[in-house]
Amino acid sequence: MDKKELMREAIRLSEENVRNGGGPFGAVIARDGQIVAVGVNRVTSEGDPTSHAEVNAIRAASKALGTFDLSGCEIYSSCEPCPMCLGAIYWAHLDKLYYGNDKKDAAKIGFDDAFIYKELALKPEDRALESSRLLPDEAANAFCEWSEKEDKVAY
């Protein structure tokens, strides 16, 4: 399949998901023009705020390929990913992102992530979500163990 066909599949998934009671988001992960996995938004149907189309597609692709490293794959999303999904796309090492609607289009229908982007730019103590460090000396032990571990799988 070419890029336009793959994007049309992501768009088709988003439309189908709306008709099935979900959010208007669909995603396709492909390698060499072949679909590896797809995902749709299932936030309300699963009661899971992380069940976004891109995250679901990444989870399915990782399972299908047996790896957390999706290098060599591209993701086609019906909409520009939110900050969480964009982070997941980077963590999955996807080679390229294509999207249809952008974040301004999403904001117009009630999916506005601007506040998250603004919060991320702030120092933790200046964010709306109250947060503070607690027991950093104790938490450091796991990092020390990881640093010293000789058989770790880096990611």
Side-chain angles (χ1 to χ4, degrees):
M1 298 175 86
D2 69 17
K3 289 176 174 65
K4 288 182 179 179
E5 290 173 302
L6 292 163
M7 179 55 76
R8 284 187 182 107
E9 179 61 11
I11 293 166
R12 185 194 69 74
L13 289 165
S14 71
E15 293 168 344
E16 182 179 274
N17 202 50
V18 170
R19 290 189 288 272
N20 291 328
F25 305 100
V28 171
I29 294 179
R31 177 184 277 167
D32 300 322
Q34 299 298 311
I35 294 176
V36 173
V38 300
V40 295
N41 180 286
R42 298 201 183 283
V43 170
T44 57
S45 64
E46 293 181 358
D48 178 353
T50 69
S51 192
H52 290 202
E54 298 89 346
V55 170
N56 289 333
I58 289 168
R59 289 173 179 160
S62 294
K63 186 174 183 179
L65 297 174
T67 181
F68 56 84
D69 185 344
L70 299 180
S71 297
C73 296
E74 300 173 331
I75 188 165
Y76 298 79
S77 179
S78 63
C79 185
E80 183 176 2
C82 74
M84 175 186 69
C85 292
L86 186 59
I89 289 166
Y90 277 105
W91 277 112
H93 304 287
L94 288 155
D95 290 355
K96 190 141 189 184
L97 161 66
Y98 298 94
Y99 59 91
N101 295 308
D102 67 17
K103 60 187 173 186
K104 292 176 186 173
D105 299 322
K108 289 176 189 172
I109 63 164
F111 295 95
D112 192 353
D113 299 323
F115 76 98
I116 298 174
Y117 285 105
K118 289 176 187 172
E119 287 285 300
L120 289 172
L122 298 174
K123 295 177 187 175
E125 61 270 16
D126 295 333
R127 294 179 184 155
L129 177 65
E130 185 177 329
S131 61
S132 58
R133 289 185 78 180
L134 185 62
L135 302 176
D137 294 337
E138 292 178 34
N141 186 52
F143 280 19
C144 289
E145 287 184 32
W146 175 259
S147 295
E148 296 169 4
K149 187 174 177 66
E150 293 185 19
D151 63 342
K152 64 185 165 212
V153 177
Y155 58 96

